[in-house]
Amino acid sequence: MVRIENPHLSKISQLKSDDPSVRSMAVEALINESLTDEIAEIVCLLVEDPDKGVRNSVDLMLALNSSPQIPYNLVKHISSSNISTRNLAGEILLKIGTGAINAMVEYLKIVNNDDKKFIVDILGLIGDEKAAPDILNLLNNNNNDNVIMACIEALGNLHHAEAIDVILPIYEKNELYKPTIIEAIGRIGTPKALDFIFLKYNEEDDLTKFSMIESLGLVGNEEAFFFLLSELNEIEGPLIWPTVESIFLLKEKFSLNVPYDERMKNMVLKTSEEAPAKYKKPAANLLTAFDGDETFAACLRLFGDDYETDEIIKPKIFEEAQTFFEIVPSIINQSPPNLKNLLGLTLELVSMDVERVKENLSNIQIRNLTDSFTRCLDNPDEEIRKSATENLFAFDQSTAVLFLDKILEDDNIWNKLWLLEILGGINSPETEHAISELANDKEEMVSERAKIIQSQKSVF
């Protein structure tokens, strides 16, 4: 008699195996399968598995499998006392997205306030208005501050216009709600939201004004643009940052003209120097419209922080390369956080046409550049030392040769190999001596490469 295996039983036994590798493989094998209620429940239980590899497999499988039972089994683990389990369940529900909403709003009705807030946060991040009626209902029937603020924030993320009439009446109930309400109605962006911000602006503290100014950038009109310009005479400190950002956003949205005067320049400079990265991008856009060494130097100090900001700044730098080479030495000498980026940018500019660049620079300017590069030869960062050496040879080989002893002290093998490539193209007693030293280097790769270069030079 032939025994017929029950494949269903086999899957369950593998999922419950003592061997974590077997559990992982069993989970991953289910990615494209339609799950039974029993298997869906067992797999969701594995979000609590002690083995990280198993949890990773569960994360992948549950996010990709479209079986409708998954969210209903998974959402229960939001109530876990284990924070890691709770967070993993939340992350997977967020990845499932719209397909998890029904399970979450159903579970929302039976959990404590901590879990309600957690679920509402996820619903807000999913961003589907389908969840809005249930969030509004919770907002109307809950007295917990954390839950109320989570509901307000989520409704803002859902851009749910009907929420305005529910949110605005609770504005005065608690000072704690005000910044969250302003941020939410700013995202919703109706004319009623804009009128409300104008109405309340002068009554509020700086924290709430900060949110109001940001919201004006999102939902504002031309009136908001000119209002913010007038505020430049009054504001100070961190309020400057969102004001600059919102002025830029409204300028772009309505094709308005920014007054590029001293007042605006000072505000943009402060934002570029003091603000978090979020506000530096609009500041960079506005900076590029100003002329003068001060704003150009501010552009250089921003360079390297963010790819999109770099793309805003680069055209100005390339158009005004002469100014760049005049200003960059003094910035390099300050060892700024973006030193590596500035040295790379310098090399990029000079490599386009080194002779033309040098023709447009005075001897003093070239000396200032080479002096700034030599200061970098002791830098602890090997990439900075390498880039400084390249720039030094590109601008002035005779000065570079004078510093060969210092350059040869670099103990990074890749820097030595790169130096050999440079030295191989230069004929002078000093470079020959340097190659000879490297031919005796303790690093075999370096010594072999140096000997090859020596042999190639002897042929010619």
Side-chain angles (χ1 to χ4, degrees):
M1 181 176 178
V2 178
R3 183 181 177 185
I4 300 175
E5 293 287 343
N6 184 335
H8 177 70
L9 183 60
S10 176
K11 289 176 185 175
I12 292 175
S13 63
Q14 289 174 27
L15 291 169
K16 294 183 175 181
S17 169
D18 292 335
D19 186 339
S21 64
V22 173
R23 296 198 299 274
S24 286
M25 287 189 290
V27 169
E28 291 176 15
L30 297 170
I31 285 178
N32 297 313
E33 291 197 22
S34 179
L35 305 184
T36 65
D37 291 345
E38 184 180 13
I39 289 182
E41 183 177 1
I42 292 170
V43 174
C44 288
L45 279 171
L46 292 176
V47 294
E48 300 180 356
D49 198 282
D51 185 85
K52 184 177 180 180
V54 175
R55 296 196 303 274
N56 288 341
S57 296
V58 171
D59 185 354
L60 174 69
M61 179 268 179
L62 293 178
L64 294 178
N65 190 295
S66 58
S67 295
Q69 313 97 313
I70 288 174
Y72 290 92
N73 284 285
L74 185 60
V75 72
K76 301 170 189 175
H77 296 280
I78 279 174
S79 300
S80 172
S81 59
N82 186 310
I83 294 175
S84 296
T85 299
R86 175 187 178 96
N87 289 341
L88 178 57
E91 289 168 12
I92 299 170
L93 288 165
L94 180 58
K95 291 173 184 175
I96 294 171
T98 301
I101 290 176
N102 288 341
M104 284 193 284
V105 297
E106 188 175 308
Y107 195 61
L108 196 60
K109 301 169 186 175
I110 61 172
V111 292
N112 63 30
N113 283 327
D114 286 343
D115 292 348
K116 287 183 193 298
K117 179 192 179 306
F118 193 83
I119 291 170
V120 170
D121 286 342
I122 298 170
L123 290 170
L125 292 171
I126 290 173
D128 191 319
E129 274 199 273
K130 178 181 177 182
D134 292 280
I135 297 174
L136 276 171
N137 182 59
L138 180 61
L139 177 60
N140 284 322
N141 294 285
N142 194 285
N143 295 317
N144 182 274
D145 287 340
N146 290 330
V147 173
I148 289 171
M149 287 196 292
C151 289
I152 294 167
E153 184 177 355
L155 290 165
N157 288 336
L158 300 183
H159 306 286
H160 189 62
E162 293 175 20
I164 290 284
D165 292 330
V166 178
I167 292 173
L168 294 186
I170 64 175
Y171 184 79
E172 299 293 350
K173 288 186 177 180
N174 191 325
E175 290 291 318
L176 194 65
Y177 302 162
K178 288 183 175 181
T180 305
I181 287 175
I182 295 300
E183 289 173 13
I185 67 174
R187 292 192 184 97
I188 294 169
T190 64
K192 185 179 285 190
L194 183 59
D195 292 341
F196 185 83
I197 292 171
F198 280 130
L199 176 68
K200 297 291 183 179
Y201 182 84
N202 288 323
E203 303 174 5
E204 298 303 344
D205 60 17
D206 283 357
L207 178 61
T208 305
K209 280 184 176 179
F210 196 103
S211 297
M212 287 178 161
I213 293 167
E214 287 201 310
S215 293
L216 288 177
L218 297 175
V219 301
N221 51 20
E222 292 188 26
E223 180 188 357
F225 177 78
F226 292 107
F227 169 77
L228 291 171
L229 286 178
S230 69
E231 281 297 295
L232 290 177
N233 293 317
E234 307 295 332
I235 60 170
E236 56 187 22
L239 283 181
I240 294 169
W241 312 337
T243 304
V244 167
E245 179 190 42
S246 292
I247 286 172
F248 171 74
L249 291 174
L250 294 172
K251 163 193 171 295
E252 293 291 292
K253 184 176 181 180
F254 297 106
S255 300
L256 299 168
N257 293 320
V258 171
Y260 292 104
D261 53 20
E262 196 68 18
R263 174 187 63 165
M264 176 61 75
K265 183 180 83 169
N266 290 335
M267 295 301 181
V268 173
L269 283 170
K270 285 188 178 191
T271 305
S272 73
E273 292 165 2
E274 301 169 3
K278 174 183 185 295
Y279 305 99
K280 288 186 177 181
K281 193 181 302 179
N285 269 288
L286 294 171
L287 271 176
T288 57
F290 287 96
D291 294 321
D293 290 357
E294 187 179 14
T295 52
F296 195 95
C299 286
L300 295 187
R301 283 191 287 270
L302 282 177
F303 188 80
D305 283 350
D306 172 79
Y307 174 78
E308 290 183 10
T309 305
D310 289 352
E311 293 304 300
I312 294 165
I313 294 170
K314 255 190 170 184
K316 182 177 181 70
I317 293 172
F318 277 76
E319 287 168 13
E320 303 179 37
Q322 183 76 17
T323 304
F324 172 84
F325 288 119
E326 291 172 5
I327 291 175
V328 78
S330 62
I331 298 178
I332 290 174
N333 289 341
Q334 297 166 23
S335 296
N338 64 339
L339 177 56
K340 187 189 305 183
N341 306 93
L342 288 179
L343 288 169
L345 182 59
T346 306
L347 194 62
E348 184 179 349
L349 279 166
V350 74
S351 63
M352 293 171 66
D353 190 345
V354 63
E355 294 306 320
R356 184 176 178 184
V357 168
K358 290 165 71 173
E359 283 174 9
N360 291 322
L361 296 173
S362 68
N363 289 335
I364 292 176
Q365 288 169 340
I366 292 176
R367 177 63 181 271
N368 288 339
L369 281 161
T370 55
D371 282 351
S372 69
F373 301 145
T374 58
R375 288 170 181 253
C376 299
L377 297 177
D378 287 320
N379 195 284
D381 188 307
E382 64 268 15
E383 290 186 39
I384 288 175
R385 298 195 302 272
K386 173 179 175 289
S387 193
T389 300
E390 289 182 80
N391 274 300
L392 192 54
F393 274 99
F395 275 93
D396 189 348
Q397 284 188 9
S398 59
T399 300
V401 165
L402 292 176
F403 283 87
L404 267 176
D405 287 344
K406 168 61 69 178
I407 296 169
L408 286 169
E409 292 175 6
D410 195 324
D411 60 359
N412 182 274
I413 182 172
W414 305 111
N415 285 5
K416 290 177 181 178
L417 289 169
W418 189 253
L419 175 62
L420 278 168
E421 298 309 310
I422 295 174
L423 298 178
I426 304 172
N427 292 314
S428 74
E430 293 85 358
T431 57
E432 299 299 332
H433 176 71
I435 295 170
S436 295
E437 284 200 32
L438 291 170
N440 295 313
D441 195 88
K442 62 182 180 181
E443 295 285 353
E444 189 176 346
M445 284 177 65
V446 175
S447 63
E448 285 183 359
R449 183 60 190 151
K451 288 170 184 174
I452 290 171
I453 291 172
Q454 280 181 322
S455 64
Q456 289 172 340
K457 279 178 167 287
S458 67
V459 173
F460 299 100

